[in-house]
Structure formats: C-alpha cells, structure tokens
Amino acid sequence: MDAITILVAEDDELVQATVEDALSESGFETTLAGSGEEAIALLKDGKSFRAIVTDVNLNDKLDGWEVARAARELDPTMPVIYMSGTHTDDWASKGVPKSIMLAKPFAPAQLVTATAQLLNASPLAE
Amino acid sequence: MDAITILVAEDDELVQATVEDALSESGFETTLAGSGEEAIALLKDGKSFRAIVTDVNLNDKLDGWEVARAARELDPTMPVIYMSGTHTDDWASKGVPKSIMLAKPFAPAQLVTATAQLLNASPLAE
Amino acid sequence: MDAITILVAEDDELVQATVEDALSESGFETTLAGSGEEAIALLKDGKSFRAIVTDVNLNDKLDGWEVARAARELDPTMPVIYMSGTHTDDWASKGVPKSIMLAKPFAPAQLVTATAQLLNASPLAE
Amino acid sequence: MDAITILVAEDDELVQATVEDALSESGFETTLAGSGEEAIALLKDGKSFRAIVTDVNLNDKLDGWEVARAARELDPTMPVIYMSGTHTDDWASKGVPKSIMLAKPFAPAQLVTATAQLLNASPLAE
Amino acid sequence: MDAITILVAEDDELVQATVEDALSESGFETTLAGSGEEAIALLKDGKSFRAIVTDVNLNDKLDGWEVARAARELDPTMPVIYMSGTHTDDWASKGVPKSIMLAKPFAPAQLVTATAQLLNASPLAE
Amino acid sequence: MDAITILVAEDDELVQATVEDALSESGFETTLAGSGEEAIALLKDGKSFRAIVTDVNLNDKLDGWEVARAARELDPTMPVIYMSGTHTDDWASKGVPKSIMLAKPFAPAQLVTATAQLLNASPLAE
C-alpha cells in the first residue's frame, strides 16, 4: 500500500527523533519541518499530508497554533495534534476544533493513538 | 433556583430577539452585548456567565472568533456556540475546541440543545 | 430566518401529527411523505431537506431502512432519525452510520433533541 | 403513544415541582420518590422506568449515589441524571459510567436535553 | 490469556498479509475468509469472533457491506471495520452504525487502533 | 522526555507480566501494586501517576472498584481502566464515569489504546 505521510513541525532534534520513531514504527511516513514557516510552505506546496503533528513552541515567528490554523484553512478536515510542555492550558483558547493536545512528556503510544483516532474519524479520504 | 446567564454577542436586532426568546423560553437568562468589545468588557467585568453565544460577524473591530478566544482565556471550560450564515467553513480553522457552530438559518431548538449539551458536558460548575 | 425543513416519512396519521407538532413547536418546518416512495421522490426532487425522520415500517414496498439509504446516497451528511416500535433491534444491522433510533413510544423532546443533536454535529451546512 | 415514565428521587418540594414541570412539558411522565428508600422500592417493584433523575442529597440513609447504583444493578442500561449544588465534584468518584451530573442551578432545558440524550443513546429499549 | 480472534474478510493476498501482521503483532488472533460467502459461513459456524475486518470489494457475489450486515444480525454488538480504496464515500449509505471505515492506503496502527477502540467501547463481553 | 508512570493494581503474576510488557513496550513506565491497599497507599504517597489500571478482583479487603474510587477522590481527572473476566457486567453500577472496562481476555493493544485514549482526552496535565 502507498504511504500515509504525516507532517511533523518540530524544532527540537530530540523530540523530532522520538516523534519520527513512534510514527514510522507504526507504519506512517513523516516529513519534517524545522520551523512553522517551513511547515506552511510544505502544506502549500501541494504535497498531500494526511495529518499534522506540531509543537506549540517553534523557534520562529510562527508558532504551532498558527501552523494548525493554516493547515485547516487549506484542508478543513486535516487531523491536528499539538505537543506542548508548558502551553497545554492555551489549547482551550488557541487550538482548533477536533484537535488533540498531547501534554509533554507523553508516551509514543499516545501520539500514535491520537494520530490514528483522528484519521479514523474522518473516513472521507482522498 | 438561581439564574443561569448566557452571554449573547449579536449586533442584529432580529437575531437578538430570536436568540433571547429561544433561551429564555428554555429557562436561561441572557445578557446582550451589541458588539465584540462590549462582550469582552462584560466577560472581564467579573459577572459569571455559564456560556457564550456569539455571531461570527459583528459590526466591530472584534469578530466572534476573537470574542470566543477571549472568553476561553478567562475560563478554559466556557461553553461556546457560534452562529453564522456565511462563515461556517471557517470554524475548522478559527473556532475553539469543543465549540458548536450553528449554521444560519437554524431552529430555536438547535440553539437550546447546543447550549444544554455543552453545559451538561462540563459538570464541574462554579 | 429562513425555514429548516425536515422530511417526515410516516404512514400512520396519529404518529404524523405527534411528530409534526413536536418539530413545529421547536421551530422546524416539516414536509410529510406518506410512503417510502413518496419520500424518495421528494428527496430526488431537489428540495433541500436538512434532516429526515422516518418510520421503519411503511405500508409500502420501501421501508424506512431503504429510505434512509437513498437519502444518504443523495447527501452523505444527511441526519437520519428512525422511529420503530418493534424493529429497534434491526438498527445495528440495517441502520446507517451516525443515525439515531427512537424506540416507540418516545417523548416529543427525544425527537427534537435527536434532530437538533445531529444537525449541530454537521455544521457544514448548505 | 404510551407513556415514557421517569423516576424522580427528590426530597425538596420546590425542586420536585421544577423537575416535574420541565419533564412533563417535554412529554415525559414522572413518578416521584421523596426518599432514596422509596426510589429503590419503586425500582424493585417491577414498574418500568425509562430513566432516573436523582438529587444527590436525600434526607435519608440512602443518598443519590446509592440510588443510582441500585438502579443500574437492576438495569445496567438505565439512564442516570444526578442533580447537586454542592457535591458535583464527587461525581468523578461516586457517579456511575455514562451518567450526567447537572450542577444546580440549572435551566429546565438542561434536564430535558440530558434525559433525551441518554435515552437516545440506548435505543435497545424496553 | 485466551485468544481474541478477529475475522478478516479479504480476497487480496497482499492486503491479507498486511492485516494479519498488524493484528497479530498487536496480540490478536485472526481467521481469514477469502470471500464474503466464506466469511458468513464462518460467522454462522458458531465460532466466537470478537470483531470483523472486511474489505468492501470481494471477488464474490457478496460484498463487505453484506458481510457486515450478516455479522450484525447474528450479533448486534459486533465491532465492524471496513477497508476500501474507492468506496469510502458509500460508507454513509451502506455502512452499519458505530462501524469504522479505513480508507486505503492506511497505516497498520490505524487498523489496530480502530479494532481496539471498538472492542473497548463494548465491554459487555461474551 | 520524562517518564509517564501508570499504576497497575493486580495480584495475579501472569497478568502483571502481560500488562507490564504491553505498557512498557508502548513507552509507559509502570508501578506495580499487588493489592488494593498497596495501590491506595501508593496513590496517597504523593507519587504522580498519570493513569491507573486495576483488576476488579484483588485478593484483598479492597477490590478494584474501591481502588478506582479512591484514585478519583485524590484526582478527579485520573484515567481509570478496569480489567475483569467475570465482573464486566458490574461496571455499569460500580465503575466510575469516563472509565474503560477491559473484558478478559483482551489483546495488549486494547490496553494500550484504552490508556492512550483516556490520557489524550484529558490534556490539562500537571
């Protein structure tokens, strides 16, 4: 079967590795964006991502909240998973509907289950 | 029993009347804000609202998306119901988590059910 | 505001009256179909219904299960509410996804809440 | 159609009246129990209740938590709605699964929506 | 602990292998049916399956929609997962309630999460 | 990232091993309590558990129902997963709200998905 590619927006290399390992061991492909701007450029590039996993803090003008909003403007059904250690409380005011906030630290299984749950809830795939 | 007061942010007088009638006939009190700025001032005023119903379009610098975000910053568990005729598609990118978008036109029962459902889902009241 | 019209497929006049009263008192318009064939003809006629309420038993070649499937083929997001006294157990094998089965007898509020809940869960209106 | 009877366990006459009015105006019948013991006696009596609405505080040896557990032992699918002004926080440890806690004060529409929602979620009726 | 056996109805050997690997690595046993008729024969045989995973297209008189309906007639609580590349849109009209549609291609984790989610939602086991 | 520790209350060594393996392979740490009393002592000890997995039967004065209630009294948002072979029917009357009952036998993936689902639904972490 073809690849299911998840866009991962994360600037911390350690977290990048953890996230990529968890997703690839579960059968997902990943494309990495080291900044919010790179994430949005990739989204606009026409490549077909099935979900986005984004850190809230990105060493960048654009944070994860803005990346998720941009992703949803391009595709209103895009599954969104946020990761944050210190900004989980802001999810209620800054998150998008039907997204999941993973409070750091989290186990790899939480990320995989969150991604699969959101994908399975929107079966009207391309 | 005491009053359950819902903040209604709406600048159109006809819709104001419809919303207030629907909510008051179902046993809710309403406080009306004719603009986004008035809504946020009322929220900050310390008065205790149990939910907010807001039009997306407000003849104002602040739209309903911003009113809802401000409400959730003050109280992350605040039930939020949006109403819109033309901007329902923006809900996926601009709405807050666990909110409800009512597409205009809607029946009064939809507003009442939406309000009651969100209130009943967050039982950890004041 | 404009009308929200619900298609009601029911051949029993007493139930027709109960359903129409419950929905109209809650602010919905109703269009009545006395048979499954009439219901499907109305659905294909291009008139815009926001939900369908159908008895399972219709004195007809077509039953409510078939009416609902036809409605969902025309509009995959159409809210569907079934009513039945004796066939509620068949819902698990014959119902469509994300529909509601109302076991007769039911209170008018159950019908209104079911309709409003399903409408509020699919905000991407016409 | 036949009656849908809700068992209401409440010892405060003012709340009794509010609850009975809200439910009967929405098409439900109610049977009143003025104490937890009376509620459990009625449940065991073989009369068929479709849901139970119970205050947490009952001037009695038995509180609402115990009434709900007894109701669920007799019928594991029984819809349960609790009402409480001061014990809402105990719901997480003392409530039964898939029940709803209504924090007092609440609007009549909240009670009606809660009852209808739980009834509609368990269609495998009587 | 004893085996949890999932019935897999799939006629494509490559997909068979992917599905069986994903499920067995997650601790499930699988029984394979290469056609819809074989699937229904196995279901009627009295063997106890805890869930069914079925392709929609089966080189056969019976497709996955019919297999799922037959499974639900025998056991109304049977968890159902459909897989399809081209017929995902038909799920809204042909699927059974509370089922999950996996759009191909999907990652193994999506299948495992779907199966576990549905099993965990119906705790009233054999 | 730091550890996510799950409290496991289980007196059967075979099940202990199965549960610990499933959780640790998915990235969770586990702390084992061989009795209900030990589980409650650990909960009160101030150590920070992110979820509790408890057998219903514990060779002890305290069963899993009581352990879960004690855990929820200390932290009303604590995710709770019960495991039982013979008492799954009691969950409706003895379980706590928003918990999951795993009927034995279950596959490791069911436990991992249940744990991840409940953790992901309560993002307002420490």
Side-chain angles (χ1 to χ4, degrees):
Chain A
M1 289 197 277
D2 303 346
I4 321 298
T5 309
I6 313 290
L7 178 60
V8 178
E10 173 61 71
D11 59 350
D12 178 323
E13 289 186 15
L14 272 178
V15 184
Q16 282 177 359
T18 308
V19 167
E20 289 198 297
D21 284 0
L23 291 174
S24 65
E25 278 167 24
S26 303
F28 297 104
E29 303 276 309
T30 54
T31 296
L32 199 66
S35 72
E37 292 181 345
E38 193 185 338
I40 291 177
L42 284 163
L43 286 163
K44 290 195 170 152
D45 217 40
K47 233 198 122 176
S48 173
F49 298 107
R50 292 281 296 273
I52 177 164
V53 176
T54 182
D55 200 346
V56 167
N57 275 1
L58 297 166
N59 284 330
D60 197 19
K61 276 177 288 183
L62 294 169
D63 59 25
W65 308 121
E66 289 164 298
V67 170
R69 276 183 216 126
R72 282 284 182 83
E73 271 165 35
L74 293 163
D75 175 359
T77 67
M78 175 74 82
V80 170
I81 295 116
Y82 302 100
M83 307 177 288
S84 181
T86 51
H87 292 78
T88 53
D89 286 353
D90 292 341
W91 178 71
S93 60
K94 296 187 174 161
V96 292
K98 293 172 192 288
S99 61
I100 289 179
M101 164 58 78
L102 290 178
K104 289 187 199 166
F106 55 83
Q110 288 178 258
L111 174 61
V112 173
T113 300
T115 306
Q117 250 181 293
L118 292 178
L119 280 167
N120 293 352
S122 61
L124 309 168
E126 76 257 54
Chain B
M1 289 196 278
D2 304 345
I4 320 299
T5 309
I6 312 291
L7 178 59
V8 178
E10 173 61 71
D11 59 350
D12 178 324
E13 288 186 17
L14 273 177
V15 183
Q16 281 177 0
T18 308
V19 168
E20 289 198 297
D21 284 0
L23 291 175
S24 66
E25 277 167 25
S26 302
F28 297 103
E29 302 277 309
T30 54
T31 296
L32 199 67
S35 72
E37 291 182 346
E38 193 185 338
I40 290 177
L42 283 162
L43 285 163
K44 290 194 171 154
D45 218 38
K47 231 196 125 177
S48 173
F49 298 107
R50 293 280 296 272
I52 177 164
V53 175
T54 182
D55 201 346
V56 168
N57 275 1
L58 296 166
N59 284 330
D60 198 19
K61 277 176 288 183
L62 294 170
D63 58 26
W65 308 121
E66 289 164 300
V67 169
R69 273 183 219 127
R72 281 285 181 83
E73 271 166 36
L74 293 163
D75 176 0
T77 67
M78 176 75 82
V80 170
I81 294 116
Y82 302 99
M83 308 177 287
S84 181
T86 52
H87 292 78
T88 54
D89 286 352
D90 293 340
W91 178 71
S93 59
K94 296 187 174 162
V96 292
K98 294 172 192 287
S99 61
I100 289 178
M101 164 58 79
L102 290 178
K104 290 186 198 169
F106 55 84
Q110 288 179 256
L111 174 62
V112 173
T113 299
T115 306
Q117 249 182 294
L118 292 178
L119 279 166
N120 293 351
S122 62
L124 309 169
E126 79 261 53
Chain C
M1 289 196 278
D2 303 346
I4 320 299
T5 309
I6 313 291
L7 178 60
V8 178
E10 172 62 70
D11 59 349
D12 177 324
E13 289 186 15
L14 273 177
V15 183
Q16 281 177 0
T18 308
V19 168
E20 288 198 298
D21 284 0
L23 291 174
S24 66
E25 277 167 25
S26 302
F28 297 103
E29 302 276 310
T30 54
T31 296
L32 200 65
S35 73
E37 292 182 346
E38 192 185 339
I40 290 177
L42 283 163
L43 284 164
K44 289 195 171 152
D45 217 39
K47 233 198 121 176
S48 173
F49 298 107
R50 292 280 296 274
I52 177 164
V53 176
T54 182
D55 201 347
V56 167
N57 275 1
L58 296 165
N59 284 330
D60 198 20
K61 275 176 289 182
L62 295 169
D63 58 26
W65 308 121
E66 289 165 300
V67 170
R69 274 183 219 128
R72 281 286 181 83
E73 271 166 36
L74 294 162
D75 176 0
T77 66
M78 176 75 82
V80 170
I81 295 117
Y82 302 100
M83 308 177 288
S84 182
T86 52
H87 292 78
T88 54
D89 286 352
D90 292 340
W91 178 72
S93 60
K94 296 186 175 162
V96 292
K98 293 172 192 287
S99 62
I100 289 178
M101 164 59 78
L102 289 178
K104 290 187 197 168
F106 55 83
Q110 288 179 256
L111 174 61
V112 172
T113 299
T115 307
Q117 251 181 292
L118 292 178
L119 280 167
N120 293 352
S122 62
L124 309 169
E126 79 264 48
Chain D
M1 288 196 279
D2 303 345
I4 320 299
T5 310
I6 313 290
L7 178 59
V8 178
E10 173 62 71
D11 59 349
D12 177 324
E13 289 186 15
L14 272 176
V15 183
Q16 281 178 0
T18 308
V19 168
E20 289 198 298
D21 284 0
L23 291 174
S24 66
E25 278 168 25
S26 303
F28 298 103
E29 302 276 309
T30 54
T31 295
L32 200 66
S35 72
E37 291 182 347
E38 193 186 338
I40 290 177
L42 284 163
L43 285 163
K44 290 194 171 154
D45 217 39
K47 233 198 122 176
S48 172
F49 298 107
R50 292 281 295 274
I52 177 164
V53 176
T54 182
D55 200 346
V56 168
N57 275 0
L58 296 166
N59 285 329
D60 198 19
K61 276 177 288 183
L62 294 169
D63 58 26
W65 308 120
E66 289 164 300
V67 170
R69 273 182 219 129
R72 283 283 182 84
E73 271 166 35
L74 293 163
D75 176 359
T77 66
M78 175 75 82
V80 170
I81 294 117
Y82 301 100
M83 308 177 287
S84 182
T86 51
H87 293 77
T88 54
D89 287 353
D90 292 340
W91 179 71
S93 59
K94 295 186 175 163
V96 292
K98 294 173 192 286
S99 62
I100 290 178
M101 164 58 79
L102 291 178
K104 289 186 197 168
F106 56 83
Q110 288 179 256
L111 174 62
V112 172
T113 299
T115 306
Q117 250 182 293
L118 292 179
L119 280 166
N120 293 352
S122 61
L124 309 170
E126 81 261 54
Chain E
M1 289 196 278
D2 304 345
I4 321 299
T5 308
I6 313 291
L7 178 60
V8 178
E10 172 62 71
D11 59 350
D12 177 325
E13 289 186 15
L14 273 177
V15 183
Q16 281 177 1
T18 308
V19 167
E20 288 198 296
D21 284 0
L23 291 175
S24 66
E25 278 168 25
S26 303
F28 297 103
E29 302 276 309
T30 54
T31 295
L32 199 66
S35 72
E37 291 182 345
E38 192 186 337
I40 291 178
L42 284 164
L43 285 163
K44 290 194 171 153
D45 217 39
K47 232 197 122 178
S48 172
F49 298 107
R50 293 280 296 274
I52 177 163
V53 175
T54 182
D55 200 347
V56 168
N57 275 1
L58 296 166
N59 284 330
D60 197 21
K61 277 177 287 184
L62 294 169
D63 58 25
W65 308 121
E66 288 164 299
V67 170
R69 274 183 217 127
R72 283 284 182 83
E73 271 165 36
L74 293 163
D75 176 0
T77 67
M78 176 75 81
V80 171
I81 295 116
Y82 302 100
M83 307 177 288
S84 182
T86 52
H87 292 79
T88 54
D89 286 353
D90 292 340
W91 178 72
S93 59
K94 296 187 174 162
V96 292
K98 293 173 193 286
S99 61
I100 289 178
M101 164 58 79
L102 290 178
K104 289 186 198 167
F106 55 84
Q110 287 178 257
L111 173 62
V112 173
T113 299
T115 306
Q117 251 182 292
L118 292 178
L119 280 167
N120 293 351
S122 62
L124 309 169
E126 78 261 52
Chain F
M1 288 196 279
D2 303 346
I4 321 299
T5 308
I6 312 291
L7 179 59
V8 178
E10 173 61 72
D11 59 349
D12 178 323
E13 289 186 16
L14 272 177
V15 184
Q16 281 177 0
T18 308
V19 168
E20 288 198 297
D21 283 359
L23 291 175
S24 66
E25 277 167 25
S26 302
F28 297 104
E29 302 276 310
T30 54
T31 295
L32 199 66
S35 72
E37 292 182 346
E38 193 186 339
I40 291 178
L42 283 163
L43 285 163
K44 290 195 171 153
D45 217 39
K47 232 197 123 177
S48 173
F49 298 107
R50 292 280 295 274
I52 177 164
V53 176
T54 182
D55 201 346
V56 167
N57 275 1
L58 296 167
N59 283 330
D60 198 20
K61 277 176 287 182
L62 294 169
D63 59 25
W65 308 121
E66 289 164 300
V67 169
R69 274 182 217 128
R72 282 285 181 82
E73 271 165 36
L74 293 164
D75 175 0
T77 66
M78 175 74 81
V80 170
I81 294 117
Y82 302 100
M83 307 177 288
S84 182
T86 51
H87 292 78
T88 54
D89 286 354
D90 292 340
W91 179 70
S93 59
K94 296 188 175 162
V96 292
K98 293 172 191 287
S99 62
I100 289 178
M101 164 58 79
L102 290 178
K104 290 186 198 168
F106 55 83
Q110 288 178 257
L111 173 62
V112 173
T113 300
T115 307
Q117 251 182 292
L118 292 178
L119 279 167
N120 293 352
S122 61
L124 309 169
E126 78 259 51

